[in-house]
Amino acid sequence: QSDSFGERLFAEFLGEDGNVESTLSFSELYSEARNIALDLVGKGVQGKNVILLYPPGLEYIKAFFACMCAGATPVPAYPPMGEKDIDRLIRIIKDCDAELILSQSMLTPMIQYWINSNAEQTDVTCCSTDTIAITSDVEFAVFKPNLDDIAFLQYTSGSTGHPKGVMVSHRNLLENFKSIAQCFMDKDKHDLGVEHYKTVIWLPPFHD
């Protein structure tokens, strides 16, 4: 939470030229994810599945944590680029019975249009998370999951058939983080505090 790490850097996003385009501190992540979560709770998403359709960037991270704070299950996917992608998205929406789609304001009208005009009708709504009004004075209790609760749904590519959802628990995530630290970190740095850890990730956000 923000009171533990304050203004320490949580993440930064690099542009195609390698320069920093945007940054996110721990306190900013907490306040912005909490703000989105407040809106999600008002939409009744606790215990429901929420599709995330974002280009690479920090908005995706805020939305992912917001779903967890609201007690919803994030379902990472990628913004459709053509008819095949739309069909795949519709299959995912129906397979997980998604309650809502989250994206950015520059994409939501297009995504909503594609969904509404698809032959496989679904009434799911696409909402923007970068235009939510700030409500910092409202009390909000962050949802606290159990270790074996589902953290998120990871869908397969669907390249050899219909995409299938893999249930990833919070315990799975924690074990995966331990493996990453053991396999990729310089052994001489194992004893350093967490504030010294820095990871460069080039995988798309809807990937593993």
Side-chain angles (χ1 to χ4, degrees):
Q1 286 190 7
S2 57
D3 56 356
S4 301
F5 289 91
E7 297 308 311
R8 288 183 192 171
L9 186 67
F10 174 81
E12 53 189 12
F13 183 72
L14 307 182
E16 291 185 7
D17 59 1
N19 291 321
V20 177
E21 282 191 359
S22 51
T23 62
L24 190 65
S25 69
F26 278 88
S27 60
E28 287 169 339
L29 172 62
Y30 178 72
S31 61
E32 296 197 38
R34 175 189 176 279
N35 200 50
I36 298 169
L38 268 168
D39 188 73
L40 293 178
V41 168
K43 290 179 167 62
V45 300
Q46 187 167 335
K48 306 290 181 64
N49 297 322
V50 177
I51 307 278
L52 305 184
L53 295 179
Y54 290 85
L58 300 181
E59 293 302 318
Y60 166 82
I61 296 175
K62 298 172 191 176
F64 189 92
F65 277 93
C67 287
M68 290 186 170
C69 289
T73 303
V75 184
Y78 51 85
M81 302 295 288
E83 192 172 336
K84 185 178 179 182
D85 290 343
I86 298 166
D87 290 340
R88 177 183 183 275
L89 175 61
I90 296 293
R91 285 199 179 104
I92 291 174
I93 290 170
K94 292 195 169 187
D95 184 70
C96 72
D97 192 23
E99 182 73 12
L100 195 67
I101 294 173
L102 297 182
S103 189
Q104 292 175 245
S105 52
M106 66 176 182
L107 293 178
T108 48
M110 185 168 52
I111 293 169
Q112 194 70 63
Y113 172 77
W114 283 337
I115 290 171
N116 293 344
S117 59
N118 191 272
E120 294 286 331
Q121 285 293 314
T122 175
D123 59 358
V124 69
T125 302
C126 187
C127 298
S128 306
T129 54
D130 55 339
T131 55
I132 294 172
I134 297 172
T135 51
S136 57
D137 58 336
V138 178
E139 287 190 17
F140 177 69
V142 171
F143 180 80
K144 295 182 179 179
N146 295 315
L147 271 176
D148 292 313
D149 287 346
I150 298 173
F152 71 101
L153 294 179
Q154 175 74 59
Y155 270 84
T156 59
S157 65
S159 57
T160 58
H162 294 328
K164 298 175 179 64
V166 177
M167 295 180 289
V168 181
S169 71
H170 290 275
R171 190 187 299 275
N172 294 150
L173 270 182
L174 291 171
E175 289 301 319
N176 196 42
F177 293 152
K178 288 178 185 176
S179 296
I180 290 171
Q182 290 168 0
C183 294
F184 292 95
M185 192 186 302
D186 189 324
K187 290 181 179 179
D188 294 334
K189 296 180 181 178
H190 270 222
D191 294 331
L192 293 176
V194 68
E195 66 271 15
H196 294 282
Y197 296 174
K198 182 171 282 192
T199 306
V200 181
I201 302 169
W202 61 95
L203 294 171
F206 49 80
H207 197 270
D208 192 21

